[in-house]
Amino acid sequence: ATNPFDGTIVSSSKDKTLRVWDPSMGICRKVLVGHLDEVNCVAICPASGSVFSGSGSLFGSEYSIRCWDHVKGLCLRVFLGHKMKVNSLDFSPSGHFISSSSDGTVRLWNPAMSESLKVLNDHTCDVKQVVLNLEMKLAISISIDSTMRMWDLHRGECVAAYDLYHYATSIASKRNIVVLGDSTGRTYLLTPKIE
């Protein structure tokens, strides 16, 4: 993830660390240590520039999200609630964020609190990724259960579910368009309709 505040790049690793890179010099400026398990995802809060990371593994013991001061190398806050590994994170411009997990849930968080605001749990297994679509005012998630779900975050409800031929492995969304890649290597361009 690229930090728009200072231009650094932050990477996550199975070695339980994050690394803060200076792309102009090509060097690692800081190693962030504190996770007890593999770090699967990293995102930057657009409101503050803070680094957020999600961890966990199949036989792991820690399924947390951490907020970091990447300049000082300090963990500022730990978010607990997921029961299996955290797979993805995405942010709204206000700083609220959303996470997906192998426990089959999507959670909405306020970074000032350590508890999730909403738990969305209509998927039947691993939620590989979730993204926010600000134009449609929705979150969109994909799962190994071969569905894509669209969520109204204010109501905490699934407002649309789409059965896919194969499970999706990646997703992006802007305006009224959703792009997803599936486990066979195909890419789909969708314009879902919400009633």
Side-chain angles (χ1 to χ4, degrees):
T2 303
N3 193 322
F5 287 83
D6 61 10
T8 57
I9 296 172
V10 184
S11 62
S12 60
S13 174
K14 289 186 175 189
D15 70 2
K16 307 175 187 175
T17 68
L18 294 102
R19 293 182 184 268
V20 181
W21 301 90
D22 180 336
S24 64
M25 302 289 291
I27 59 172
C28 177
R29 290 276 183 207
K30 189 76 68 179
V31 178
L32 307 179
V33 178
H35 277 292
L36 305 176
D37 211 332
E38 298 174 3
V39 185
N40 304 308
C41 54
V42 61
I44 309 297
C45 176
S48 67
S50 296
V51 173
F52 285 72
S53 56
S55 70
S57 63
L58 183 60
F59 300 107
S61 59
E62 181 203 32
Y63 312 112
S64 71
I65 298 166
R66 291 179 182 255
C67 172
W68 302 88
D69 178 326
H70 69 289
V71 175
K72 294 179 181 174
L74 300 174
C75 178
L76 303 175
R77 179 162 288 177
V78 179
F79 301 83
L80 300 173
H82 284 299
K83 306 294 185 242
M84 296 181 78
K85 74 178 186 169
V86 180
N87 294 317
S88 73
L89 302 167
D90 197 18
F91 275 90
S92 72
S94 69
H96 284 74
F97 69 97
I98 196 159
S99 61
S100 70
S101 170
S102 293
D103 65 11
T105 67
V106 170
R107 289 177 180 258
L108 177 65
W109 306 84
N110 177 338
M113 302 167 58
S114 293
E115 294 180 5
S116 56
L117 300 173
K118 291 200 176 11
V119 180
L120 313 173
N121 57 9
D122 285 359
H123 283 292
T124 59
C125 60
D126 296 34
V127 183
K128 297 309 282 180
Q129 189 178 0
V130 63
V131 295
L132 291 170
N133 183 304
L134 302 176
E135 293 86 4
M136 291 195 289
K137 298 184 171 108
L138 298 170
I140 305 167
S141 59
I142 54 174
S143 171
I144 291 181
D145 67 10
S146 297
T147 64
M148 177 181 80
R149 295 186 182 275
M150 303 181 89
W151 306 89
D152 179 318
L153 295 176
H154 294 292
R155 295 190 321 233
E157 296 176 356
C158 179
V159 294
Y162 298 87
D163 290 322
L164 307 172
Y165 290 111
H166 303 280
Y167 75 85
T169 57
S170 62
I171 187 170
S173 182
K174 187 127 177 117
R175 296 188 181 88
N176 67 333
I177 297 172
V178 176
V179 179
L180 57 85
D182 74 15
S183 57
T184 67
R186 291 186 177 97
T187 302
Y188 300 90
L189 183 66
L190 309 170
T191 53
K193 304 288 185 233
I194 304 299
E195 301 297 322

